[in-house]
Amino acid sequence: MSSHALVSTTKPCLLIIGGGVAGVQIALSCAAEYEVTLVDRKKYFEVTNATCRSCVDPDFAKGTVFAYSEFAAMGRVVTGSIVAMTAYTATLDSGEVFRFDNAVICTGTTYINTAMPWPNTNCAITKQERLEELLRSSEQFKAAKVITIVGGGPAGVEMAAEILEMFAGKSLTVIGHAGSLLPRMPARCGAHAKRWLEGHGAKVILGEGAKAGASPNSLVTSTGNQLQSDLVLMAVGGKVNSGFLEGGELGKTLNEAGRIKVSPSLQVPSFPHIFAVGDVNDVDEPKLTYLAQLQAKNTAKNLLGLVKPAPPKLKSYAPMGLGGGPLVGFVSLGRSDGAGRLNSCTCTGFFPVGMIKSKDLFSGKLASSLGLKVR
């Protein structure tokens, strides 16, 4: 086992675990003041809020996957997975041990479905492998005649809409456990999504759960209905990627759901030099890409404050809808429709959701905000 001291004689060392939007945002923001090392199991960054379209449209996918080498200077990038962590060290799956002054954990969520190439579920390591994986996914959707999606939240609804628009004529069923689609959004949003999906030929089953049946691609609903499909996609059941903390001294920071408990400034209690950002923390707000980026910007500002001779009071993060944080949520329905909310305003149709989000699912805006050249 080798030990790699990240601590610099001129700059404090910052270890970032996870190379999604939050990790990259923090690395880019802090590279000038810290010796940054970013660890991720893959060698590419993906605009994950656009994956639902990337996996049905391989041409679109080319503008959503970027090698880490395409970013401006953001420190050292190490390929691998952290398997254990203490207050000031992290162990890579290769056995290498990193020592750090500050750390940010932004490891996201893994979804259980293997037929759907959700981020963190796939096996691709390089950018080219990921694009090939998304191409195979598109071919799989094209070949399937009967598709079932379990999950009536934003991921399930957006995925269903992309399939129906790209491959018209599919027999597609969406199963949601709640009494409406998009249950965390205003009722008007869920009703509009249901009308859109049904208007494009989908069957929507609400108020039922579903579990795997006896044969491949079969499901049994909570009321006993049996469904057989060519392809089953799970848009529920995400598992927080915090297992490497279990059993160690940071294990006590996890709640019952496996999320890391954080203070208002997103610091880990009893470990103020460590921050947790995005899906992996217990902040009570939807786990959305743009919110992870807002948390990352808040964290980067605090990290930059810590290196000052007289560190200022750290900035608290305002969760969506609380403490002045805006209450915003847009769900696309294909490339020109959608439903959403902006504080107390609910909107459906082309304007504003279809016009603002549905064209490219914010992929261009997000990539540009990180300094990437969008084709």
Side-chain angles (χ1 to χ4, degrees):
M1 180 184 296
S2 62
S3 178
H4 185 75
L6 300 180
V7 181
S8 167
T9 57
T10 57
K11 297 180 182 179
C13 163
L14 174 61
L15 176 65
I16 300 173
I17 308 174
V21 61
V24 168
Q25 179 73 62
I26 294 168
L28 291 170
S29 300
C30 295
E33 299 297 333
Y34 284 85
E35 293 289 345
V36 173
T37 296
L38 184 149
V39 176
D40 196 279
R41 65 156 199 86
K42 52 185 174 38
K43 297 181 179 181
Y44 64 87
F45 167 80
E46 182 172 356
V47 182
T48 55
N49 49 287
T51 299
C52 61
R53 185 169 298 166
S54 296
C55 66
V56 300
D57 185 347
D59 287 332
F60 177 81
K62 294 174 184 177
T64 67
V65 182
F66 305 85
Y68 286 128
S69 58
E70 295 179 57
F71 287 94
M74 64 174 187
R76 178 189 180 205
V77 178
V78 175
T79 304
S81 297
I82 298 297
V83 295
M85 186 174 181
T86 69
Y88 288 97
T89 68
T91 304
L92 202 63
D93 50 5
S94 66
E96 187 173 8
V97 178
F98 297 104
R99 292 186 286 116
F100 55 83
D101 297 307
N102 297 88
V104 182
I105 304 170
C106 38
T107 44
T109 301
T110 295
Y111 289 88
I112 62 175
N113 185 64
T114 56
M116 168 68 197
W118 297 121
N120 288 334
T121 304
N122 58 80
C123 298
I125 300 298
T126 67
K127 172 182 176 178
Q128 185 58 37
E129 289 173 351
R130 180 56 171 160
L131 291 175
E132 291 171 358
E133 193 171 55
L134 292 167
L135 174 60
R136 290 193 298 271
S137 172
S138 175
E139 293 170 345
Q140 190 176 23
F141 283 121
K142 185 177 180 179
K145 295 180 179 179
V146 181
I147 301 171
T148 301
I149 297 176
V150 180
V157 168
E158 290 191 337
M159 188 72 253
E162 293 297 330
I163 295 170
L164 291 169
E165 194 165 77
M166 191 71 178
F167 305 112
K170 297 290 182 186
S171 174
L172 187 145
T173 300
V174 177
I175 302 175
H177 71 88
S180 66
L181 294 176
L182 308 176
R184 295 192 66 174
M185 298 181 73
R188 182 181 164 195
C189 294
H192 180 73
K194 186 172 184 289
R195 284 194 301 270
W196 192 98
L197 293 176
E198 292 177 335
H200 286 74
K203 180 180 180 181
V204 179
I205 300 174
L206 298 173
E208 295 193 43
K211 62 181 181 180
S215 59
N217 291 318
S218 67
L219 293 168
V220 179
T221 70
S222 53
T223 58
N225 291 325
Q226 297 190 33
L227 301 174
Q228 184 66 48
S229 307
D230 298 319
L231 195 60
V232 173
L233 308 177
M234 303 298 292
V236 293
K239 181 181 179 181
V240 181
N241 296 322
S242 60
F244 63 96
L245 299 179
E246 296 175 2
E249 62 181 307
L250 275 77
K252 63 184 179 182
T253 68
L254 302 177
N255 66 14
E256 292 182 356
R259 298 191 189 278
I260 302 172
K261 291 175 280 189
V262 293
S263 68
S265 55
L266 305 183
Q267 292 166 287
V268 180
S270 302
F271 303 92
H273 60 294
I274 301 176
F275 295 76
V277 176
D279 284 17
V280 77
N281 70 26
D282 70 342
V283 173
D284 186 17
E285 67 177 4
K287 298 302 183 179
L288 303 174
T289 299
Y290 89 94
L291 294 176
Q293 190 172 24
L294 289 180
Q295 289 189 24
K297 290 179 178 179
N298 191 98
T299 298
K301 182 175 181 178
N302 284 337
L303 283 165
L304 292 173
L306 290 176
V307 299
K308 294 181 179 179
K313 180 179 179 181
L314 297 189
K315 180 182 178 182
S316 293
Y317 174 75
M320 187 176 80
L322 299 172
L327 192 60
V328 181
F330 290 162
V331 175
S332 67
L333 294 166
R335 302 185 184 223
S336 59
D337 208 324
R341 72 185 307 169
L342 179 57
N343 292 324
S344 61
C345 178
T346 301
C347 42
T348 60
F350 174 71
F351 182 82
V353 184
M355 183 177 70
I356 295 174
K357 178 180 180 180
S358 300
K359 181 180 178 181
D360 72 348
L361 303 176
F362 294 138
S363 60
K365 180 179 180 180
L366 177 60
S368 295
S369 74
L370 297 174
L372 292 165
K373 294 181 180 180
V374 183
R375 68 180 183 88

